Amino acid sequence: MLGMRHRKMPYICLGEEVVLPVTGRSRGDFDFSIMAVIAHIKGKIAYATLFPCYGRASHCIDPTQMKCLIINLDRSRDRLAHVTAEFARIGIAFERVAAIDARDRPDLAEMPQGKKHLRLADAEIACLLSHQQCWSMIATGEDAYAAIFEDDVVFPDKAGALLADAGWIPADADIVKLETFFNRTVISRKQVACGHGFSASRLHGLHIGTAGYILSRQAARDLLAATNEISIPVDHLIFNPRFATSSDKVIYQLVPALCLQAQFLGDSPVRLPSLLKQERTEEWVASGIGKRRPRPITAKVRNETRRLTRQIADLFRLRREMIIPFWYRGRRVRPPHTQRRENAL
């Protein structure tokens, strides 16, 4: 049925069953702009020209919106409901990617792993494979950049403005880390303004966590090529400068952070404990490697000496050590107790 939409833009509704990526509900119509229909007739239509509507014209997906991929286990319907509500709140659509479930893959324990590092738990392998699925979609897609999120993220109110397009991303960026893990990390003092109160600085220190990050198409291809052999957890693979997969990339950190794991909200009604932490701990305890061993005093002194040396070096290299802040519903979220941060792993 031909009609008129927001700003007098004509549209066509087709009676085709679709599932809206934001609401999660089925709709019997799917909206195309007239320009998209013309392109379709010419055989040049692309995925990005399709934009479902959520009831109001202002909530239609802009064809220029950055692609957002959400990793979600089929059995985690509560998490899907949570992340759906978060994306609806900021007015951004997403595409769900079914995560690899370690419970359904007994073969993960038999997968070959590198010998240089501690063997990964099945849940960690499944997590890496799930992110690999997203990398593959980005590597073979047409978008220069796309965002990947895990299903327990929360956003500040202004997040939608940045996810609406990729124009603010620094031209030389391979990866942009959107999340904070409340660990101290090292970033450049030089800032690139991103608009809406956000800036981006080069990330030079360890800052784990893969709940939210932006990946370039070339970086996605490089990560896929580098992970034929499984040996490193995915967050260290991308955000630990000890490994070439991280140190060879130009990585930026968004300040303040654009997202946070719900686990860090403390007394918030959002309750989404880390599934990876739970499953990994169970496997470690069963294997006998989950026991903590006290570090000798010499190791503590050595680590402290290294830390002070790095701080002095960073001062001369115009870098600063800081905890990346995060604002949620008008208030600054404070760094959690150490145990809560460990539970979010």
Side-chain angles (χ1 to χ4, degrees):
M1 179 177 63
L2 184 62
M4 299 297 290
R5 287 195 60 81
H6 185 56
R7 296 182 181 177
K8 305 299 182 180
M9 179 182 293
Y11 76 103
I12 291 178
C13 291
L14 303 180
E16 180 177 349
E17 181 76 8
V18 297
V19 176
L20 299 186
V22 168
T23 64
R25 298 190 299 268
S26 295
R27 277 273 300 272
D29 58 346
F30 198 85
D31 292 356
F32 292 76
S33 69
I34 284 294
M35 294 304 295
V37 174
I38 294 174
H40 179 65
I41 295 173
K42 293 181 178 181
K44 297 180 180 180
I45 192 169
Y47 173 83
T49 63
L50 307 180
F51 47 104
C53 297
Y54 314 129
R56 291 185 298 174
S58 60
H59 282 230
C60 287
I61 301 175
D62 191 320
T64 63
Q65 179 193 308
M66 191 187 319
K67 178 181 289 186
C68 295
L69 305 176
I70 299 297
I71 300 173
N72 170 252
L73 287 167
D74 290 338
R75 57 183 163 91
S76 296
R77 296 183 179 181
D78 57 335
R79 288 170 173 258
L80 180 58
H82 159 77
V83 78
T84 296
E86 281 294 303
F87 271 84
R89 182 172 62 82
I90 63 174
I92 295 294
F94 67 84
E95 182 176 350
R96 178 182 178 271
V97 178
I100 304 296
D101 196 335
R103 295 184 182 180
D104 299 332
R105 293 285 302 274
D107 61 305
L108 295 181
E110 306 300 325
M111 294 186 68
Q113 296 190 31
K115 298 180 180 179
K116 295 182 179 180
H117 310 286
L118 182 67
R119 183 174 180 84
L120 301 186
D122 290 357
E124 291 176 307
I125 299 174
C127 182
L128 173 57
L129 294 178
S130 298
H131 281 266
Q132 280 184 333
Q133 290 184 134
C134 296
W135 303 343
S136 180
M137 295 172 65
I138 297 171
T140 57
E142 298 181 356
D143 299 301
Y145 292 93
I148 300 173
F149 296 97
E150 295 174 355
D151 58 9
D152 59 345
V153 292
V154 292
F155 295 110
D157 294 336
K158 296 181 180 179
L162 263 67
L163 294 178
D165 69 83
W168 57 270
I169 299 175
D172 61 339
D174 294 313
I175 303 169
V176 181
K177 186 174 178 65
L178 304 176
E179 169 192 21
T180 180
F181 215 77
F182 289 120
N183 283 328
R184 286 194 171 275
T185 189
V186 178
I187 63 173
S188 172
R189 292 183 179 274
K190 182 179 179 180
Q191 300 177 347
V192 178
C194 301
H196 308 285
F198 294 90
S199 64
S201 296
R202 284 286 303 272
L203 180 63
H204 297 286
L206 168 68
H207 194 194
I208 57 175
T210 49
Y213 60 100
I214 293 172
L215 205 58
S216 72
R217 185 168 57 238
Q218 185 57 53
R221 293 169 179 170
D222 293 341
L223 285 173
L224 285 171
T227 51
N228 289 329
E229 184 181 73
I230 298 173
S231 59
I232 307 170
V234 63
D235 50 353
H236 286 269
L237 189 76
I238 305 176
F239 297 117
N240 189 337
R242 288 179 51 198
F243 303 109
T245 47
S246 176
S247 61
D248 289 348
K249 298 289 182 291
V250 177
I251 303 178
Y252 282 83
Q253 170 70 57
L254 199 65
V255 182
L258 193 75
C259 64
L260 179 76
Q261 286 183 325
Q263 176 74 16
F264 287 135
L265 293 182
D267 297 331
S268 169
V270 179
R271 293 294 183 185
L272 296 173
S274 172
L275 295 178
L276 176 59
K277 171 70 175 181
Q278 176 183 344
E279 294 175 13
R280 179 170 55 189
T281 301
E282 291 173 356
E283 293 182 8
W284 283 7
V285 170
S287 63
I289 63 175
K291 297 180 180 180
R292 290 182 176 272
R293 296 179 177 84
R295 289 189 302 170
I297 187 64
T298 53
K300 295 180 180 179
V301 172
R302 185 167 56 250
N303 288 340
E304 185 64 17
T305 302
R306 290 175 179 172
R307 187 182 67 83
L308 292 175
T309 302
R310 285 196 302 268
Q311 288 181 340
I312 295 173
D314 289 335
L315 182 64
F316 286 98
R317 289 184 290 186
L318 299 180
R319 299 175 181 178
R320 57 176 174 162
E321 184 180 79
M322 67 177 296
I323 294 176
I324 307 301
F326 180 78
W327 291 79
Y328 184 68
R329 299 189 183 277
R331 67 178 180 87
R332 181 168 177 170
V333 179
R334 297 299 175 184
H337 186 274
T338 303
Q339 185 59 50
R340 196 192 309 154
R341 180 165 54 242
E342 290 180 356
N343 288 342
L345 279 169

